[in-house]
Amino acid sequence: EAEVAQSPRYKITEKSQAVAFWCDPISGHATLYWYRQILGQGPELLVQFQDESVVDDSQLPKDRFSAERLKGVDSTLKIQPAELGDSAMYLCASSPRTAGIAKNIQYFGAGTRLSVL
Amino acid sequence: DQQVKQNSPSLSVQEGRISILNCDYTNSMFDYFLWYKKYPAEGPTFLISISSIKDKNEDGRFTVFLNKSAKHLSLHIVPSQPGDSAVYFCAANFGNEKLTFGTGTRLTIIP
């Protein structure tokens, strides 16, 4: 069964350092999402791509976060510099290009657990 | 502004009985609702969904009910099994695919 791949699974860094997370969506999925989940809360969207274009980055803290999906396939999310409050699970999800109900279902990767010390 | 609310942080149910998880929403524009299940150290897994044009959707042991007038949906699991122990998230969206999640309910099935 096809899966969304994310790496690394865990990342420990010191504040003010740079970190990067990678995501490879399910093959053929046009839409890719990055979510952040803080312990005890539900995932919140950071950025959404349609192919290589950003559709929604209204909740992305652009002074320190950046995201790219250069060839419309895999994606990288970067934080520089990391702050203590960035400690969270970073989840990547993808959804197919098809219209209708199937388009609304998002498939998630296992996530990257970030701890900022 | 929490547009999707799961007011029960936790729920314990005896194995074999029915588990009922509840979710309320405030945004009347939402037209699609999903339930995700999450085990520790894993990403959320899609479980079942319902469109706003329906009031019930069933898939095996899982049934989702939607009451649009009350802006309420519920997930029924029957019979509950130990492997159902997980955190369940309700999510909703309209049109543009961005999902708004609730805070989750931790379901524990007692053998």
Side-chain angles (χ1 to χ4, degrees), chain B residues 40-84:
Chain B
E42 295 184 12
T45 302
F46 170 72
L47 196 57
I48 192 169
S49 61
I50 188 167
S51 166
S52 60
I53 62 173
K54 295 185 175 181
D55 54 18
K56 176 183 175 181
N57 188 28
E58 190 172 354
D59 183 3
R61 297 186 298 114
F62 303 91
T63 303
V64 56
F65 296 91
L66 176 63
N67 182 333
K68 288 190 292 294
S69 61
K71 294 191 178 65
H72 177 83
L73 65 156
S74 60
L75 174 67
H76 292 209
I77 306 173
V78 55
S80 300
Q81 299 175 354
D84 297 329

Side-chain angles (χ1 to χ4, degrees), chain A residues 10-28:
Chain A
Y10 303 93
K11 179 69 178 178
I12 300 174
T13 190
E14 294 184 345
K15 64 179 182 179
S16 80
Q17 297 298 304
V19 293
F21 314 130
W22 176 80
C23 172
D24 192 13
I26 293 172
S27 179

